[in-house]
Amino acid sequence: MNRDPISSTADVEEGAASRLIDARIRELDDWRGEMLARVRTLIRQADPDVVEEWKWRGVPVWSHAGIICTGETYKHVVKLTFAKSASLADPSALFNASLDGNTRRAIDIHEGDSLDEKALAALIHAAVALNTASSQKKKQARPAG
């Protein structure tokens, strides 16, 4: 995976994160950059309130009331890892990696793979709904004071 040393010590603010994701896409001047850009567009369309972050020494992250997914790039794959995906329904069977984990599931996209955009949008919506519900439960559980 490509890592960016400027973010090695801390997470960066959203505007800077978006610029770093832009730079990552340009840096990957092959199918991986194109796919990362496409996935990013689909995530933003599915959730216009998504927040872009840059974490863990150079990983694009999309959040809304918690992490929705990360967009890692490796030599032969673009990997979308959904933070709480073990709790999400996946009727289109997009998840094809990390299937034995208790929390996360991933979508490995290889060169030439097609992507079911409607199914991805549905997963984004489901992840946001799960995050929002979890966030509301935490707020309600806090004692008043």
Side-chain angles (χ1 to χ4, degrees):
M1 179 190 327
N2 295 322
R3 299 290 188 176
D4 191 318
I6 62 175
S7 62
S8 63
T9 58
D11 296 346
V12 296
E13 66 182 57
E14 183 181 359
S18 293
R19 289 188 297 277
L20 289 167
I21 295 169
D22 291 340
R24 170 64 44 82
I25 289 167
R26 283 190 306 274
E27 169 186 294
L28 296 166
D29 63 350
D30 60 11
W31 71 271
R32 297 170 302 158
E34 292 169 11
M35 183 57 72
L36 187 60
R38 182 172 170 213
V39 166
R40 180 191 200 190
T41 297
L42 294 170
I43 292 168
R44 291 165 127 181
Q45 287 173 346
D47 180 16
D49 295 324
V50 72
V51 174
E52 292 189 316
E53 299 174 286
W54 186 261
K55 295 180 176 261
W56 309 300
R57 299 183 181 196
V59 176
V61 176
W62 292 277
S63 297
H64 183 149
I67 293 174
I68 297 169
C69 67
T70 63
E72 298 174 84
T73 52
Y74 298 94
K75 186 174 182 179
H76 297 289
V77 70
V78 173
K79 179 182 282 289
L80 298 178
T81 302
F82 283 70
K84 299 176 185 174
S85 50
S87 299
L88 298 177
D90 181 22
S92 298
L94 287 183
F95 294 127
N96 61 8
S98 306
L99 299 176
D100 55 353
N102 292 331
T103 306
R104 293 180 295 277
R105 303 278 188 271
I107 303 168
D108 282 358
I109 307 167
H110 298 88
E111 186 172 14
D113 284 354
S114 61
L115 184 60
D116 184 336
E117 295 180 3
K118 286 185 179 184
L120 180 60
L123 280 177
I124 299 297
H125 292 146
V128 170
L130 180 62
N131 285 352
T132 303
S134 295
S135 178
Q136 289 298 328
K137 285 181 187 176
K138 287 178 186 177
K139 286 180 185 175
Q140 291 172 353
R142 289 185 191 138

